[in-house]
Amino acid sequence: MARRAETIELAVLGLLHEGPMHGYELRKRLNLMLGWGRVLSYGSLYPTLKKMLRGSLIEESTASTPTSRRPRITYQVTEAGTREFERLMSEVGPTAWEDDNFDIRFAFFSSTDMEIRLRVLEGRRTRLQERLDRIQRELAMTAKEADRYAGELQRHGVESVEREVNWLSDLINAERGNPQTPNLGTPPHTAETS
């Protein structure tokens, strides 16, 4: 299954785990969750919903509304969908902390065991630290060759990754119950530099 489709499935299962929703509401909530850089179209959502219906992960019900001639379809998670959501949320490995999946997993962390949360947070931090080290090496090699704007873009990338590494460290300390954990505040934007 394509990575984007897996991410959408996980998000849909997580949202429907909270309660039934119709397609418009799902798309709206998914776009809020995915962020401005990954807007979800109906052309991506509805094929995923159809696939999930065929797999019995979700079911639909229809209700007539007085303002529309067409019945409104509402989706809800099935027992199989709940089991699949729990399975996906318990997976620990590179897909759990990569850019495509981490934000969605993090949004549903309250449904995840603390040990799994820690492993995902630590995996994400390690992955970003590796990325940061690589960017800093490349920056040192190209600093003399980069013009002002390219240099600023590189600096921005380094600062974004550093911010996220620090945020993850704060979250990990909070999970472990470290009493010296600073106020966590709001998460930074996911670093997009690869």
Side-chain angles (χ1 to χ4, degrees):
M1 184 185 317
R3 191 180 292 195
R4 181 162 170 85
E6 289 175 351
T7 301
I8 295 169
E9 262 187 43
L10 175 62
V12 167
L13 288 171
L15 289 172
L16 293 179
H17 190 73
E18 297 171 0
M21 290 182 206
H22 54 83
Y24 174 78
E25 182 66 19
L26 268 171
R27 180 177 176 263
K28 187 169 81 172
R29 296 273 310 272
L30 285 167
N31 280 333
L32 285 171
M33 189 178 292
L34 293 170
W36 67 270
R38 300 187 286 175
V39 175
L40 180 69
S41 69
Y42 288 114
S44 297
L45 176 60
Y46 283 105
T48 301
L49 291 173
K50 297 288 184 209
K51 179 179 175 287
M52 294 173 76
L53 283 165
R54 284 190 308 273
S56 300
L57 299 176
I58 61 173
E59 57 191 15
E60 62 184 14
S61 60
T62 55
S64 298
T65 61
T67 59
S68 175
R69 288 184 268 176
R70 293 188 326 169
R72 176 175 261 182
I73 298 172
T74 302
Y75 300 93
Q76 56 193 28
V77 70
T78 62
E79 284 185 37
T82 298
R83 286 191 304 273
E84 179 67 3
F85 176 70
E86 290 168 355
R87 184 190 70 76
L88 290 170
M89 290 300 291
S90 68
E91 286 183 351
V92 177
T95 59
W97 54 73
E98 291 298 330
D99 293 344
D100 293 343
N101 217 359
F102 176 75
D103 295 348
I104 299 300
R105 297 246 343 205
F106 187 81
F108 300 114
F109 258 18
S110 62
S111 302
T112 308
D113 178 72
M114 184 184 80
E115 286 302 315
I116 292 171
R117 287 192 307 260
L118 276 169
R119 289 177 64 192
V120 171
L121 290 170
E122 289 168 346
R124 176 76 176 164
R125 182 176 63 181
T126 299
R127 172 66 176 101
L128 288 178
Q129 190 61 56
E130 291 167 356
R131 184 182 295 174
L132 182 61
D133 293 344
R134 188 184 74 239
I135 292 170
Q136 288 174 328
R137 278 193 312 272
E138 291 170 2
L139 186 60
M141 290 187 305
T142 62
K144 294 174 188 163
E145 300 167 9
D147 69 15
R148 178 176 146 215
Y149 297 104
E152 282 300 308
L153 185 60
Q154 290 172 335
R155 187 178 61 77
H156 172 69
V158 167
E159 289 172 358
S160 296
V161 176
E162 285 174 338
R163 239 184 344 268
E164 189 168 349
V165 167
N166 291 333
W167 174 69
L168 290 164
S169 294
D170 290 346
L171 288 170
I172 291 166
N173 288 334
E175 284 289 329
R176 290 190 175 132
N178 185 339
Q180 296 175 333
T181 302
N183 181 4
L184 299 179
T186 57
H189 295 293
T190 301
E192 297 294 332
T193 309
S194 295

